[in-house]
């Protein structure tokens, strides 16, 4: 976000004082800009275009299916565990800002528990505007039903909202408590769920949730979706999973 500083000078400045005043004023601007930059490290929407944090994970050359991920900063990409190859194949490819970079998965979660993974890339290979993005902040609190969010994926930024899992059956509620609406317009596995107000990272998309109604039609059993949503891994699980890399200074309340 561009910052404009305006001000006025109350007293005239003598010619002999202009150099000293200019130097002091420049120093003040530099320090103020540095402080602003530190504060901008808090969230994506204060550090620039949030779309620049979205990446793609490519497991095989020419593959038709690609997962998504979110660039945290300092060469770290956060994605869903089921998007990357298995533990025996830590190498993967990250497509970011039009560049395909080799990546190594340095931490794995599990699809059925904590569906997260961290991929390391060489940040010196990134274009300047990506390499110098603020380190992404993770929300200090988990989401609440009704909360507006923004789901970020490559080439797709879509507004959505948190919905209550209680609308689903007890079987779903017992396993998946953080759900969003707008299934057809939001990003798939590995996409980022951001708080619409502060811009901090609320979660990583994991899977689609559907419940069906079964019925008979022309003697055959048919089914149609009754409720649909997408489940994401919460900020609290992200903080725990990525604690060695995130640190408390990158939390946003």
């Amino acid at each position: 976000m561009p910052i404009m500083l305006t001000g006025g000078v109350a007293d005239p400045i003598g010619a002999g004082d202009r150099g000293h005043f200019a130097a002091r004023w420049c120093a003040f601007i530099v320090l103020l800009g540095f402080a602003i930059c530190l504060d901008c490290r808090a969230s994506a929407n204060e550090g620039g275009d949030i779309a620049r944090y979205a990446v793609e994970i490519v497991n095989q050359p020419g593959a038709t299916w690609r997962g998504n991920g979110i660039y945290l900063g300092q060469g770290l990409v956060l994605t869903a565990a089921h998007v990357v190859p298995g533990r025996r194949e830590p190498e993967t490819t990250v497509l970011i800002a039009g560049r395909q970079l080799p990546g190594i998965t340095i931490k794995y979660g599990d699809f059925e528990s904590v569906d997260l993974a961290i991929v390391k890339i060489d940040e010196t290979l990134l274009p300047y505007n990506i390499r110098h993005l603020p380190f992404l902040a993770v929300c200090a609190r988990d989401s609440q039903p009704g909360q507006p969010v923004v789901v970020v994926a490559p080439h797709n930024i879509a507004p959505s909202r948190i919905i209550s899992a209680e609308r689903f059956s007890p079987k779903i509620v017992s396993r998946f408590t953080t759900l969003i609406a707008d299934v057809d317009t939001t990003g798939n596995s590995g996409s980022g769920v951001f708080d619409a107000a502060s811009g901090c990272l609320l979660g990583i998309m994991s899977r689609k949730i559907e419940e069906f109604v079964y019925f008979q039609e022309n003697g055959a059993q048919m089914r149609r979706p009754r409720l649909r949503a997408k489940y994401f891994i919460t900020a609290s699980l992200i903080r725990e999973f990525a604690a060695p890399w995130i640190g408390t200074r990158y939390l946003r309340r």
Side-chain angles (χ1 to χ4, degrees):
M1 179 183 298
I3 304 295
M4 179 179 294
L5 298 176
T6 61
V9 179
D11 299 317
I13 302 174
D17 295 327
R18 291 185 188 275
H20 296 293
F21 177 82
R24 290 196 299 270
W25 179 249
C26 289
F28 170 76
I29 293 297
V30 169
L31 290 174
L32 180 59
F34 180 70
I36 291 171
C37 287
L38 287 178
D39 184 62
C40 283
R41 295 173 71 87
S43 65
N45 64 355
E46 292 176 357
D49 185 3
I50 197 172
R52 289 185 290 170
Y53 288 87
V55 309
E56 289 183 273
I57 307 294
V58 185
N59 289 335
Q60 297 176 355
T64 57
W65 183 88
R66 294 178 177 183
N68 298 327
I70 294 295
Y71 183 62
L72 294 176
Q74 299 177 3
L76 300 174
V77 172
L78 184 65
T79 185
H82 73 272
V83 166
V84 298
R87 286 178 169 81
R88 295 182 179 180
E89 301 177 47
E91 295 85 4
T92 188
T93 300
V94 176
L95 180 60
I96 179 170
R99 299 186 184 184
Q100 285 198 3
L101 302 180
I104 299 291
T105 306
I106 58 176
K107 186 169 184 179
Y108 291 91
D110 180 79
F111 179 61
E112 296 300 333
S113 55
V114 181
D115 189 15
L116 293 173
I118 296 177
V119 177
K120 177 69 174 177
I121 58 177
D122 184 353
E123 64 179 320
T124 64
L125 301 178
L126 292 170
Y128 180 88
N129 65 330
I130 303 297
R131 189 167 67 249
H132 292 276
L133 280 174
F135 196 95
L136 192 61
V138 177
C139 299
R141 297 187 179 92
D142 286 340
S143 60
Q144 299 296 323
Q147 182 174 349
V149 297
V150 178
V151 182
V152 176
H155 319 297
N156 182 33
I157 299 179
S160 188
R161 70 188 189 284
I162 306 298
I163 62 176
S164 174
E166 295 178 359
R167 297 168 53 187
F168 289 79
S169 67
K171 181 180 179 180
I172 297 296
V173 174
S174 64
R175 296 186 62 196
F176 310 109
T177 57
T178 48
L179 304 174
I180 66 162
D182 307 297
V183 173
D184 295 325
T185 60
T186 52
N188 293 320
S189 298
S191 301
V193 181
F194 291 81
D195 177 40
S198 70
C200 61
L201 183 66
L202 270 173
I204 291 291
M205 203 69 73
S206 176
R207 68 183 80 186
K208 184 187 297 182
I209 303 295
E210 291 185 324
E211 285 192 340
F212 296 92
V213 174
Y214 291 87
F215 59 97
Q216 295 289 325
E217 186 175 287
N218 298 325
Q221 187 179 49
M222 309 291 289
R223 71 176 189 175
R224 64 171 177 264
R226 181 180 72 90
L227 291 171
R228 304 173 71 213
K230 282 182 176 176
Y231 165 71
F232 64 90
I233 306 299
T234 64
S236 57
L237 289 175
I238 291 174
R239 294 197 306 270
E240 182 179 351
F241 184 83
W245 297 278
I246 292 177
T248 57
R249 58 181 171 161
Y250 300 125
L251 301 184
R252 166 56 65 88
R253 298 188 178 276

